[in-house]
């Protein structure tokens, strides 16, 4: 009986389709394997570092007051932490490019240890200010190194979830840190809290030393996944010697390079960097305007702290959901709703004239912010992979300078607008600025990020 060639062809296609599905799933499983098996070396150092930093942030103004500073000077010294982050972003990019992510993280932990001890022993305000500034620079170096590492080793289809987890580690650290500091302050005084940061940084060094190098395992996973991808994408007529495209082959590098990444990638940073900077400014402003609005309503300090804690818990609970939204539906579906939600919270704040309204506004803003966990880092990674595949750390240094500048300007903008026009006007103006940022995200993400 003669064979049916069409039936054989259909069977072969079904088998190939099944093999494609299995192979693709296997490749993705190998790529995402680091989440289950390499959580400690990849994310644990970030949690430890953020916990130490979160513990000492409330103590810096107390130390400044103990050294004779007034309220304004204490606020300036506390703000030096964020200024140090902004100043350290670009040098950190060069350091990571030259010596690698692991070396940069170790150097940052050592600098943070020395700086915390300087703050602990500071005999006067200038020495304290120097120590706080150096902690900010160390934080910039550590965070950029972790960001660059995940940018290099995570695939686009899982990048947002990896970055949202990294954003979640910072939230966990800043949430847990003050709870660790509170009993230490009650038992031994505020100065002892600096040793929490010292201990956390020592733990970071231990983890980096004793845990296996995650780059080796991720390199094996990526090589295996790329082999599957090449095999699946090669048509039958293509010979076995066909070469796969090199990393960054489909990137769009700019025509001329400059030593300073902000100048080299200015056309991109002025558009997407401005939008992300507005998002960071809105996030930073909420930490200032929500407590101030509670004070204006006459709510007691314990109640304000409790409401802020509940809002922080809502924010923390949503960090992984953000990555799932971005990976499944695209970056714009997270960035635009986040800015719109935070903006709405600011715009309706003048209508919150009772405690229940204040609670509702705090929950709205925190929910929107939680759904954007990792969005700024994800966008930076997408842009670095597309436009600067050979200079990712330098690009990320310029990107983080743009976004961290927004974080530094947020509280200053609230203070200035409140002094000029009042707190209600400041909330409305910030809300309008957030809507501008939402429009920029809606306009430029498809054009520059592509998804």
């Amino acid at each position: 009986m003669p064979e049916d060639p069409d039936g054989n062809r259909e069977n072969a296609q079904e088998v190939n389709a099944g093999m494609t599905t299995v192979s693709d799933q296997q490749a993705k499983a190998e790529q995402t394997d680091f989440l289950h098996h390499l959580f400690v070396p990849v994310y644990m150092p970030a949690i430890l570092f953020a916990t130490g930093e979160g513990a000492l942030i409330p103590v810096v103004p107390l130390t400044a007051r103990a050294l004779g500073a007034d309220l304004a000077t204490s606020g300036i010294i506390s703000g030096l932490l964020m200024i140090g982050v902004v100043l350290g972003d670009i040098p950190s990019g060069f350091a990571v490019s030259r010596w690698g992510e692991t070396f940069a993280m170790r150097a940052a932990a050592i600098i943070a240890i020395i700086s915390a001890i300087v703050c602990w022993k500071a005999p006067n305000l200038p020495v304290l200010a120097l120590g706080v500034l150096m902690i900010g620079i160390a934080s910039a170096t550590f965070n950029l190194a972790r960001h660059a590492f995940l940018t290099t080793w995570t695939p686009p289809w899982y990048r947002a979830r990896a970055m949202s987890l990294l954003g979640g580690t910072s939230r966990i650290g800043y949430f847990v840190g003050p709870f660790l500091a509170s009993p230490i302050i009650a038992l031994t005084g505020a100065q002892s809290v600096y040793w929490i940061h010292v201990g956390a940084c020592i733990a970071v060094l231990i983890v980096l030393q004793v845990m296996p190098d995650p780059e080796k395992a991720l390199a094996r996973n990526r090589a295996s996944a790329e082999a599957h991808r090449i095999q699946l994408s090669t048509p039958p007529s293509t010979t076995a010697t066909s070469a796969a495209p090199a990393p960054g082959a489909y990137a769009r590098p700019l025509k001329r390079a400059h030593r300073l990444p902000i100048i080299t990638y200015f056309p991109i940073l002025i558009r997407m960097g401005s939008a992300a900077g507005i998002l960071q400014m809105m996030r930073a402003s909420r930490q200032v305007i929500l407590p101030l609005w509670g004070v204006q309503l006459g709510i007691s300090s314990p109640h304000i702290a409790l409401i802020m804690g509940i809002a922080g818990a809502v924010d923390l609970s949503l960090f992984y959901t953000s990555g799932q939204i971005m990976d499944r539906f695209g970056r714009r579906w997270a960035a635009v709703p986040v800015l719109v939600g935070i903006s709405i919270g600011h715009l309706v704040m003048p209508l919150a004239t009772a405690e229940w309204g204040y609670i509702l506004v705090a929950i709205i803003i925190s929910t929107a912010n939680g759904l954007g966990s990792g969005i700024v880092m994800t966008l930076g990674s997408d842009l670095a992979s597309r436009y600067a595949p050979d200079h990712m750390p330098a690009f990320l240094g310029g990107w983080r300078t743009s976004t961290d500048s927004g974080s530094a300007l947020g509280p200053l903008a609230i203070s200035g607008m409140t002094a000029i026009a009042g707190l209600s006007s400041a909330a409305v103006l910030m809300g309008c600025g957030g809507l501008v940022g939402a429009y920029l995200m809606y306009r430029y993400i498809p054009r520059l990020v592509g998804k």
Side-chain angles (χ1 to χ4, degrees), residues 281-327:
M281 182 175 67
M282 297 295 292
R283 286 174 158 174
S285 72
R286 85 188 197 283
Q287 300 286 2
V288 177
I289 199 167
L290 281 174
L292 290 178
W293 193 258
V295 171
Q296 181 167 292
L297 292 179
I299 302 173
S300 64
S301 296
H303 277 193
I304 292 175
L306 177 61
I307 293 169
M308 292 295 291
I310 294 173
V314 172
D315 187 335
L316 181 63
S317 67
L318 295 172
F319 69 85
Y320 192 68
T321 304
S322 169
Q324 292 177 315
I325 292 173
M326 286 186 280
D327 278 334

Side-chain angles (χ1 to χ4, degrees), residues 33-242:
D33 188 59
F34 78 95
L35 178 62
H36 303 94
H37 299 286
L38 299 177
F39 178 84
V40 174
V42 172
Y43 291 104
M44 186 57 69
I47 294 176
L48 292 170
F49 195 91
T51 300
E53 192 172 332
L56 66 82
I57 286 175
V59 175
V60 171
L62 300 179
T63 304
R65 291 285 289 171
L67 293 175
D70 56 19
L71 289 176
T73 305
S74 299
I76 291 173
I77 292 177
S78 299
L80 288 175
L81 182 67
M82 197 64 228
I83 293 175
V85 171
V86 175
L87 293 177
D89 280 327
I90 290 180
S92 299
F94 288 118
V96 173
S97 296
R98 186 175 182 86
W99 295 296
E101 292 90 351
T102 302
F103 177 88
M105 284 188 290
R106 287 172 176 160
I110 293 172
I111 293 172
I113 290 172
I114 296 172
S115 302
I117 295 174
V118 168
C119 293
W120 173 63
K121 294 289 290 183
N124 50 51
L125 292 175
V127 175
L128 176 64
L130 177 62
V132 173
L133 187 70
M134 293 304 298
I135 290 175
I137 293 174
S139 178
T141 304
F142 188 92
N143 292 328
L144 189 142
R146 192 85 301 185
H147 188 184
F149 176 86
L150 288 177
T151 299
T152 302
W153 294 106
T154 53
W157 70 71
Y158 198 76
R159 178 176 290 152
R161 277 168 284 180
M163 293 299 172
S164 67
L165 282 176
L166 184 59
T169 60
S170 299
R171 285 168 163 77
I172 292 171
Y174 288 128
F175 187 77
V176 172
F179 286 101
L180 295 179
S182 180
I184 298 295
I185 294 173
L187 294 174
T188 61
Q191 292 297 102
S192 301
V193 173
Y194 291 105
W195 287 98
I196 295 179
H197 196 35
V198 172
C201 291
I202 291 174
V204 167
L205 293 173
I206 293 173
V207 170
L208 293 175
Q209 182 64 34
V210 302
M211 294 303 296
D213 186 358
E215 292 187 19
K216 296 179 180 179
L218 292 177
R220 290 193 298 268
N221 286 349
R222 187 167 73 173
S224 177
E226 289 299 328
H228 283 295
R229 187 176 295 277
I230 294 169
Q231 181 181 3
L232 296 176
S233 61
T234 302
S237 60
T238 304
T239 60
T241 57
S242 296

Side-chain angles (χ1 to χ4, degrees), residues 331-350:
R331 311 324 190 204
R332 188 162 62 169
W333 284 94
V336 174
V338 165
L339 272 164
V340 170
I342 298 177
S343 299
I344 290 174
H346 281 75
L347 290 172
V348 302
M349 192 174 294

Side-chain angles (χ1 to χ4, degrees), residues 23-37:
S23 299
D24 193 47
Q25 291 176 350
Q26 181 181 357
K28 290 187 177 183
E30 290 172 348
Q31 275 285 2
T32 58
D33 188 59
F34 78 95
L35 178 62
H36 303 94
H37 299 286

